[in-house]
Amino acid sequence: MAKERLYLFDTTLRDGAQTNGVDFTLADKLAIAKMLDELGIDYIEGGYPGANPTDSEFFGSKHDYRGRFTAFGMTRRPGRSASNDPGLAALLDAQADAICFVAKSWDYHVRVALETTPEENLASIRDSVRAAKARGREVLLDCEHFFDGYKANPEFALACAKTAYDEGARWVVLCDTNGGTLPHEVERIVTDVCRAIPGTHVGMHAHNDTEQAVANSFAAVRAGARQIQGTLNGLGERCGNANLVSIIPTLKLKSDYADRFEIGVSDAALKKLAQISHALDERLNRAPDRHAPYVGESAFATKAGIHASAIMKDPATYEHVAPERVGNKRKVLVSEQAGKSNVLAELDRIGLKVNKDDPRIGRLLEVVKERETLGYAYEAADASFELLARRTLGAVPDYFDVTQFDVTVEHRYNANGERVTVAMAVVKVKVGDESTISAAEGNGPVNALDQALRKDLGKYQKYIEGLRLSDFRVRILNSGTAAVTRVLIESEDENGERWTTIGVSPNIIDASFQALMDSVVFKLVKSNAPA
Ligand SMILES: [Zn+2]
């Protein structure tokens, strides 16, 4: 049986740009649009031409995306003709394949916010759709506050949608603008709408204010809608929009949807999903959500020993889908409750071949437990665990030795009479028979230490050029009589690979130093640097 086509519409660059703290540059927009296009999104909404310089520039030149490049804007203003509305003119002039208009569909908003009549609102929708069609554009209408509007006045809400459809709009999109509608309500209302307008012309735009934007999108599809709007990583105002990064794998991998529907995302593109999700976070300078469904670092992580041994035998026992299909990785956490099977599974994952009766496995397990009582947490520091395992098995060369380091923090007045804090570090490193001394300043003691350590590693320097710290977390632990500090450092290399290392000490500089050292050594191991 032929599958039905379901369309995906991405609004990361328009609605997603409303996220608190997000401010896309033109370069960001170009890069994100490219990622969306590679993923196979059908509609890429670029923004609001005429509303700000970045969006005007973005729409100023022709794009050759596979997906339909879409401009967003308002229908003509009430009381004006379509030909005498500068906002509408900018929208019609934009270099776009499609135009997505937004219009009110709640009579209360028409009266109070727009201060016009229901008839004029319908006329504005009709004229705008007509004008865009005349310019050869595919047309979509976002019906703002559709669900709240429908509850208050179903005839009027439906009339707004129907007017656009009758005038030739390809899609009418039902927006849950306030995000408070629940899945059973969405299903009921979309079912009603699909009696008047074919579902192949109906879309859903959900916001996440009750954390059900994804569920609401699926409810709309079950009721007949055939377009889903959403954003990467659920970006968006307040609690965000429907998260396409969760929706796409569900459509591709869950048989209720996969057997019935076809989407523009190929199996090969799906394997890049985790990478795309993380690349967006990287661009926004945010740490990726570890617990994000499908793509988070913990999405396929297992802790307890009994589960780990079952996963080794058959991963399907504890996984709802195979992590590789979305570009993620299985991970068995090594923790205080670590059983031998966890350790074996983890060694297997990192590619260390060891006989399961090897006495060194028992020793490694003992060392892990011992260090965890001191405050180490290897489940959060994969790279430090790998180094510990490799060292216990005698497989890490002594690349270099830091024979001494010194960090000073100075607080003083600068030439302008402002109070400034300056940190400086000096590090003595021995590589083979050669000793070097490096000094560096930093915005803090750990930054200075990091800069100095990485300034001159002799023959190993070339391996660490692309290494950088992407996150630094500090926790004070109260173990026994004295407080100790646990430092977790996340590093990233030139290939976008990330790893986490750990240090524990009563002294925060010393804890940071351990984590920094592990990060550098891990990079050398990973790069197969010669001893
Ligand atoms: Zn929205």
Side-chain angles (χ1 to χ4, degrees), residues 17 167 172 189 252 271 276 312 335 356 362 418 440 445 469 507:
E167 199 56 46
V172 287
I189 294 173
K252 293 279 295 174
K271 287 198 173 124
I276 286 174
M312 288 268 281
S335 73
K356 74 174 170 45
E418 298 154 338
L469 306 191
N507 180 311

Side-chain angles (χ1 to χ4, degrees), residues 14-15 177 205 207 241:
R14 198 271 301 172
D15 228 4
T177 310
H205 176 108
H207 277 265
N241 286 53

